[in-house]
Amino acid sequence: MKKLLALFVILFMSVVSVEAKPTAEQVRTFFNSYVAAANNFDAQLFQKYYVPSPKIIRVVEKKDGTTQSVVVPLKIYLEEGAKGRKVGKIMGYKNTYTNVKITPAGNDYKVSATRNPSPGGRYPAYFIIGEDSQGHLKIKVESMNTPRQEFLKK
């Protein structure tokens, strides 16, 4: 009986000590919180929602109908974000996301959606969201289609 009890205690402790992977619903809640913070021009958006060195991709939709992916350097992303917050707040700019799908991607999740910016347009977007080293959900990769040609010069 003591051996059975000891085995039960060991099994229970091993199950309790293993941390569960975040659920798709937790990722959805995190993503919705991120969208709300972005639309409210939270100055701490990057620190709250991104890993320290995320991969930022802009898929530029060229005038000839082709696309070109550009990895945006973090320094430029942060500088543009600071400028954009000021202008966006004045203009009332918002992004909404429709057709949101959350699928497992290894230890992370891929959030695919259609981005609908307030001036108009519909653009594919995806985010890779997973836990950082402290177990907090963070954006690791952000990819958005855009008609903005200036990204080709970055």
Side-chain angles (χ1 to χ4, degrees):
M1 183 67 171
K2 286 183 182 181
K3 287 182 183 179
L4 185 59
L5 182 59
L7 180 61
F8 177 74
V9 169
I10 291 169
L11 286 172
F12 177 77
M13 290 186 68
S14 66
V15 169
V16 170
S17 66
V18 174
E19 300 220 7
K21 177 181 173 179
T23 66
E25 204 49 46
Q26 289 170 314
V27 171
R28 183 178 304 279
T29 300
F30 170 84
F31 180 71
N32 290 339
S33 176
Y34 157 75
V35 171
N39 284 335
N40 285 310
F41 304 97
D42 186 335
Q44 298 298 309
L45 185 75
F46 182 79
Q47 293 81 357
K48 290 179 183 176
Y49 291 95
Y50 291 83
V51 295
S53 296
K55 185 174 186 179
I56 306 296
I57 304 163
R58 292 297 176 263
V59 180
V60 180
E61 297 181 353
K62 296 180 180 181
K63 296 184 188 301
D64 67 4
T66 63
T67 60
Q68 181 178 339
S69 291
V70 178
V71 176
V72 180
L74 182 59
K75 182 180 179 208
I76 292 173
Y77 178 77
L78 293 174
E79 289 170 358
E80 293 292 322
K83 290 179 206 171
R85 257 193 318 280
K86 292 174 187 172
V87 175
K89 199 170 195 175
I90 293 168
M91 303 290 290
Y93 182 88
K94 305 275 186 221
N95 278 312
T96 58
Y97 293 85
T98 55
N99 304 317
V100 177
K101 293 181 182 76
I102 300 172
T103 55
N107 290 330
D108 301 324
Y109 285 91
K110 182 176 184 178
V111 178
S112 303
T114 301
R115 181 174 69 93
N116 307 288
S118 56
R122 296 171 44 85
Y123 305 100
Y126 77 85
F127 301 81
I128 301 296
I129 298 173
E131 292 180 312
D132 65 7
S133 59
Q134 283 102 32
H136 300 111
L137 288 173
K138 298 285 183 174
I139 297 168
K140 297 178 176 182
V141 178
E142 172 190 291
S143 176
M144 296 182 184
N145 282 38
T146 180
R148 292 182 51 201
Q149 304 298 303
E150 62 268 21
F151 282 108
L152 296 174
K153 299 173 184 114
K154 305 288 182 198

